[in-house]
Amino acid sequence: MSDFGFLNTHRTWEDWCGMLLGAVIVASPWFPIQDPVITGHQTVILNTVAIGLIVFGISQLEYVALQRWQEVTTILAGLWLIASPYVIGYSGDGFLRVYHTSLGAAVVLLGILQLWQDWDMNDQDMLKHGQ
């Protein structure tokens, strides 16, 4: 029987996925099938770019020097991305809400997976990440 040993260890491909998710989040206001009113809304664009850069930057930090606070920050950023259409007020405006909900869910799931993998690691093991 096969086990899921590859999910028990925090691997660098997860950090690369986080960086890719951050880049996709930054680009999401300009995805096809967008309402032109949304792409002109500066608060939505600024929020999206900020969250995307946070996810991208935290994933880069995880690639270089792994710490548990990075996963918690990633989870919080994903939760904010899910909630932002309702808080900022663009929840009824087309596909951007769907994009942000699905991308935020992917970020949260990735952060939870990484936090679960790193939960029992000591500081020395975390410093060896990526080597």
Side-chain angles (χ1 to χ4, degrees):
M1 182 182 320
S2 118
D3 63 343
F4 293 100
F6 69 96
L7 288 178
N8 290 334
T9 305
H10 188 137
R11 306 209 188 268
T12 56
W13 66 265
E14 297 165 0
D15 302 329
W16 285 102
C17 284
M19 288 184 248
L20 179 65
L21 278 171
V24 170
I25 291 168
V26 167
S28 67
W30 298 281
F31 281 174
I33 316 172
Q34 286 297 346
D35 185 9
V37 176
I38 290 297
T39 56
H41 197 272
Q42 296 302 318
T43 306
V44 174
I45 293 172
L46 182 62
N47 177 63
T48 304
V49 169
I51 293 297
L53 289 176
I54 288 170
V55 170
F56 185 85
I58 293 295
S59 296
Q60 278 189 326
L61 282 175
E62 287 178 349
Y63 185 73
V64 176
L66 186 60
Q67 298 292 320
R68 282 183 198 88
W69 66 266
Q70 296 161 341
E71 283 95 6
V72 173
T73 305
T74 300
I75 293 168
L76 292 175
L79 289 173
W80 173 251
L81 189 62
I82 292 170
S84 63
Y86 306 100
V87 174
I88 296 176
Y90 61 97
S91 64
D93 296 330
F95 283 97
L96 193 58
R97 173 183 47 88
V98 175
Y99 291 150
H100 285 180
T101 303
S102 58
L103 289 170
V107 169
V108 168
L109 289 174
L110 183 63
I112 288 171
L113 173 67
Q114 292 174 343
L115 186 61
W116 173 70
Q117 292 168 336
D118 300 342
W119 193 259
D120 293 329
M121 292 176 69
N122 58 28
D123 292 337
Q124 290 78 23
D125 290 338
M126 292 183 91
L127 290 174
K128 294 178 187 173
H129 173 70
Q131 294 180 357

